[in-house]
Amino acid sequence: MLSALLTKVYVPQRIALNPKTWQCITSQHKGCIQYIPQANNSTDTSHQTLYETWFNKDSPPIWCAQQVLETGHDITHLPWWASIVMTTVVLRGGVTLPLAVYQNYIMAKVELLQPQIKGFAVKLKQFLKDKAKKENWHENRVKRVFSVQMKTAVKNFYIRDNCHPFKATILIWVQLPMWICLSFALRNMTGAFPGKLAQDLGVLVPALTSEGTLWFPDLTQPDPYWILPIMLGLTNLMVIEMHALRPTKPSKFQRRVTIFLRCLSVAMVPIAASLPTAMSLYWTVSSVFGLGQNLLLKSPKFRRISRIPKIHGESATPYRDMVNSAKDKVLRTNRRKDTVTSTQSKGNS
């Protein structure tokens, strides 16, 4: 009788749940199931928070993301764990990889423009210096005219070569919303609403409870061994450290950003460990693809195939250079530690 009542009240018409499925769900969520008959299914959203309004199952972006995931599963007939992996790879390869190539293309063209911009700045400075002597201009006026003329010239350079730096930010404007929407869609599909599990079994996709693999057979439960969360943290750290291996000395701001991203990568491990495996699987696969994408974009052969202009200082052996830079960084760190230790030993003696 309870099964019939729950099916009547909470299950959307597009999801047909048989008694065995409900028996599986009720056994997994024992203790929460008793509150379901009292849940309020009213469509009144006057008391919903902004968080609930934007990221619930009826939000258009989240709904579209869920349709993408379910369509991929329906077309391929793969188990859900493989479907999530496949959908992630297809979206990253079909959407973010081309945008990353375009980003590198724009950045390369901007870098190639810098000698022309610097040359124009030298000529403009000399021209204004001579003009100031002839017409007795004040120094502040010279600076003001120089600033205005340089801004106009740089803008014209960017227009001429169609490479405004803002175009290089298109990747983050697409990748971040896509990541957020897919993450919340998976959260909704696993019923993982914090503090509201009893009210959300109606949006749960039942197959997720049995179509995992290896050590995570149930995709609605957290990873019991923290394997995926730890892989996620390590992969993110590898991406950050790869970007930190710059040939030039980083600025103070760049060092602070790197430290912040390292801390964020470490913090993501316990967060992913507390969420359903479906989400941590998606995050891990996405991060692994991102690592491969960054390595691929360093290949001179791939850059030429993608028509990314060759820039000054581009290495013909980028992977070997990264390994050598990493070794040098470790050696410098060890020398610094040895210096500190020896200094402390002398001070104690």
Side-chain angles (χ1 to χ4, degrees):
M1 183 175 179
L2 176 60
S3 176
L5 176 61
L6 296 178
T7 305
K8 180 180 178 181
V9 176
Y10 287 95
V11 181
Q13 293 181 359
R14 64 184 182 84
I15 301 179
L17 300 184
N18 55 45
K20 289 185 178 180
T21 303
W22 271 113
Q23 185 178 2
C24 175
I25 295 175
T26 53
S27 63
Q28 289 176 1
H29 302 286
K30 191 174 182 180
C32 297
I33 208 77
Q34 59 184 329
Y35 297 109
I36 295 182
Q38 300 175 6
N40 182 13
N41 273 351
S42 173
T43 57
D44 180 21
T45 59
S46 59
H47 299 293
Q48 285 187 342
T49 64
L50 189 63
Y51 172 82
E52 292 172 329
T53 303
W54 284 9
F55 299 120
N56 63 34
K57 62 183 177 65
D58 297 320
S59 172
I62 308 301
W63 181 85
C64 289
Q66 183 167 340
Q67 293 306 304
V68 169
L69 291 165
E70 293 185 347
T71 301
H73 179 260
D74 294 340
I75 291 174
T76 61
H77 300 290
L78 292 170
W80 264 110
W81 73 269
S83 178
I84 291 172
V85 172
M86 182 212 65
T87 304
T88 305
V89 172
V90 169
L91 288 175
R92 290 297 305 258
V95 178
T96 61
L97 179 57
L99 291 178
V101 170
Y102 181 71
Q103 181 188 54
N104 279 260
Y105 171 79
I106 295 295
M107 292 170 64
K109 293 190 73 173
V110 169
E111 186 168 340
L112 291 174
L113 268 180
Q114 296 312 304
Q116 297 183 48
I117 293 174
K118 290 178 181 178
F120 179 83
V122 171
K123 292 179 181 179
L124 179 61
K125 190 176 291 185
Q126 185 61 44
F127 172 79
L128 292 177
K129 184 178 180 181
D130 296 339
K131 190 174 183 65
K133 286 182 179 180
K134 290 181 182 179
E135 301 184 10
N136 197 24
W137 283 8
H138 192 273
E139 185 178 354
N140 290 337
R141 183 180 179 183
V142 175
K143 291 180 178 178
R144 187 170 63 253
V145 173
F146 177 80
S147 177
V148 172
Q149 292 297 326
M150 276 303 301
K151 287 180 180 178
T152 303
V154 169
K155 182 180 178 180
N156 290 334
F157 276 124
Y158 290 153
I159 292 174
R160 185 196 69 186
D161 289 6
N162 192 24
C163 61
H164 196 285
F166 184 77
K167 291 183 177 181
T169 65
I170 188 173
L171 176 62
I172 192 66
W173 293 113
V174 173
Q175 182 173 323
L176 185 59
M178 184 173 73
W179 183 86
I180 291 174
C181 290
L182 287 171
S183 296
F184 277 99
L186 286 169
R187 184 204 68 166
N188 295 351
M189 293 164 68
T190 56
F193 291 77
K196 295 185 178 180
L197 182 59
Q199 298 180 10
D200 299 313
L201 291 178
V203 298
L204 178 68
V205 177
L208 287 169
T209 62
S210 59
E211 293 189 6
T213 185
L214 300 176
W215 68 91
F216 52 95
D218 186 349
L219 292 170
T220 66
Q221 299 299 315
D223 186 337
Y225 303 112
W226 284 43
I227 295 176
L228 289 174
I230 291 173
M231 286 178 60
L232 171 66
L234 291 176
T235 305
N236 287 336
L237 284 174
M238 289 174 66
V239 173
I240 294 165
E241 296 305 322
M242 187 174 66
H243 286 293
L245 296 174
R246 301 181 182 90
T248 57
K249 186 178 180 180
S251 64
K252 189 175 181 180
F253 175 75
Q254 288 174 331
R255 288 197 298 271
R256 288 179 176 176
V257 170
T258 301
I259 292 171
F260 170 75
L261 291 176
R262 286 170 181 162
C263 295
L264 184 61
S265 297
V266 175
M268 285 294 289
V269 174
I271 293 174
S274 65
L275 294 172
T277 309
M279 294 180 67
S280 57
L281 176 64
Y282 164 62
W283 289 357
T284 303
V285 174
S286 182
S287 294
V288 170
F289 189 97
L291 176 62
Q293 174 180 287
N294 281 280
L295 289 171
L296 183 63
L297 287 169
K298 288 188 175 294
S299 168
K301 185 178 293 187
F302 180 78
R303 291 174 71 88
R304 299 296 86 80
I305 292 173
S306 304
R307 297 184 180 181
I308 299 174
K310 186 175 182 178
I311 59 177
H312 176 71
E314 181 178 307
S315 173
T317 57
Y319 307 121
R320 187 186 306 168
D321 294 344
M322 281 194 296
V323 172
N324 293 334
S325 297
K327 289 180 179 178
D328 293 341
K329 189 173 182 178
V330 172
L331 289 174
R332 286 197 303 269
T333 303
N334 290 336
R335 289 196 199 104
R336 196 178 298 117
K337 288 181 179 179
D338 293 340
T339 303
V340 172
T341 304
S342 60
T343 304
Q344 291 176 347
S345 300
K346 289 179 181 179
N348 293 334
S349 60

